[in-house]
Amino acid sequence: MRIPATFACLGLLMLPPVALSTTAALADPAATPATITVSGEGTASAPPDMAVLTTGVVSQADDAAAALKANSAAMEALVAAVRGAGIVGADISTSGFSVQPRYTYPGQNNNGGEQQAPKIVGYEVRNAVTIKVRDMKALGPLLDSVVVAGANDVGNLSMTLADTAPLADKARRAAIADARKKAEAYAEAAGVKLGRVLRISEQGAMSPRAFAMPVSPDSAKMMSSVPVEAGELDIRATVDVAWEIVP
C-alpha cells in the first residue's frame, strides 16, 4: 500500500500556470528576452526505513513515594528490554514524566447542599520513552519485548524516513523534467523554441508526514506476531522554471 505524505482536494481540472512574454525581444537582442514560465511537479516514493515508538509505564499508589518507586522499577525493566532488543542508547529518550494526585469527588453534603471539596485518594506516576527503531525487522519483536517487560502505556507508532534528502532530490529532478515537458509542448504550439534556462524557483519540497497508528498493549502483542506492513512514503516537489524563447 502507499501512504500519502500530503493530501489535496480535487475540484475543477485546471492547466498549470504558464506565463508567456511576447515582447519585441526577438527583434532587439538588447531588450529583455521573451520567456516562457511553467510549473512542474515531481513525486518520489520510498518505503519507510525507521519507526518511532512511544511507550512507558503508568503506576498508581496511595502515596507519591510508593508510586514513584514502583514506576522507577518498572521503567528500569522496560529500558533494559529495549536495550536487549538491540536499540542503542542514543535512540532511547525520555519523552514524558509526571506525578499527579488522584482525586475523588464527593457529592453535595446533606446540610447546606454545598459541593464538598475533592479529596486526594492516591498518586499516579507516568514515565514514557521514545524509541527510534532503525531496523524495521526488529519492530515486531521489540513490541513484544516492551509489553512483556511491563509497558502499559503504548503510544503511537510512526513510520518515517531517517534521511529525506535523497528522496527530495529525486522529486526535484522529476519536477524539472515535468516543467520541461510542459514548456516544450507550449513552445511547439506557439511555433518557437526553448533557449537557456533563466530562472528556477522552488515552491516547496513536501517532506513525508510520518504515518502514525495508535498502539495499545493488546494490539502490540498481536503486531509482534504479525508482519508490520510499512507501505511507502511520498515526497512532492514543485518548481517554477523560466526559459528564454528563441526563434
Side-chain angles (χ1 to χ4, degrees):
M1 70 175 175
R2 173 165 295 181
I3 304 163
T6 56
F7 300 87
C9 295
L10 300 181
L12 295 177
L13 181 63
M14 301 181 64
L15 291 175
V18 178
L20 291 172
S21 173
T22 55
T23 64
L26 297 181
D28 182 4
T32 302
T35 62
I36 177 173
T37 302
V38 299
S39 295
E41 292 186 356
T43 303
S45 305
D49 59 9
M50 185 174 73
V52 180
L53 173 68
T54 301
T55 184
V57 177
V58 180
S59 304
Q60 295 181 346
D62 292 338
D63 60 80
L68 180 61
K69 183 178 180 180
N71 188 273
S72 298
M75 282 301 297
E76 287 181 4
L78 173 59
V79 173
V82 173
R83 292 180 181 273
I87 307 299
V88 299
D91 289 335
I92 308 171
S93 60
T94 298
S95 55
F97 177 80
S98 66
V99 180
Q100 298 289 339
R102 294 186 297 119
Y103 294 94
T104 183
Y105 296 89
Q108 296 178 343
N109 60 32
N110 295 327
N111 297 326
E114 296 180 355
Q115 183 71 33
Q116 297 181 16
K119 297 180 179 179
I120 296 177
V121 296
Y123 288 84
E124 178 179 275
V125 176
R126 292 177 174 266
N127 198 344
V129 291
T130 296
I131 306 163
K132 294 180 180 179
V133 185
R134 300 182 187 276
D135 180 5
M136 298 297 287
K137 294 181 180 179
L139 180 57
L142 174 65
L143 289 168
D144 182 55
S145 297
V146 297
V147 172
V148 171
N152 58 6
D153 184 16
V154 185
N156 286 342
L157 171 65
S158 299
M159 307 292 186
T160 187
L161 292 170
D163 183 8
T164 62
L167 199 63
D169 288 342
K170 186 176 180 181
R172 291 183 178 105
R173 288 191 289 268
I176 291 292
D178 180 55
R180 176 173 286 277
K181 182 178 179 181
K182 294 173 182 176
E184 288 175 345
Y186 282 111
E188 181 182 359
V192 296
K193 295 182 180 179
L194 298 180
R196 58 200 175 106
V197 174
L198 300 178
R199 186 182 70 257
I200 300 176
S201 61
E202 183 178 55
Q203 294 185 20
M206 304 299 294
S207 297
R209 182 178 302 170
F211 167 62
M213 63 179 74
V215 181
S216 65
D218 290 337
S219 64
K221 292 178 182 179
M222 293 186 290
M223 292 175 68
S224 67
S225 59
V226 178
V228 178
E229 298 296 334
E232 285 192 335
L233 298 174
D234 297 338
I235 285 184
R236 187 180 66 190
T238 304
V239 296
D240 293 329
V241 186
W243 277 272
E244 181 182 17
I245 293 176
V246 297

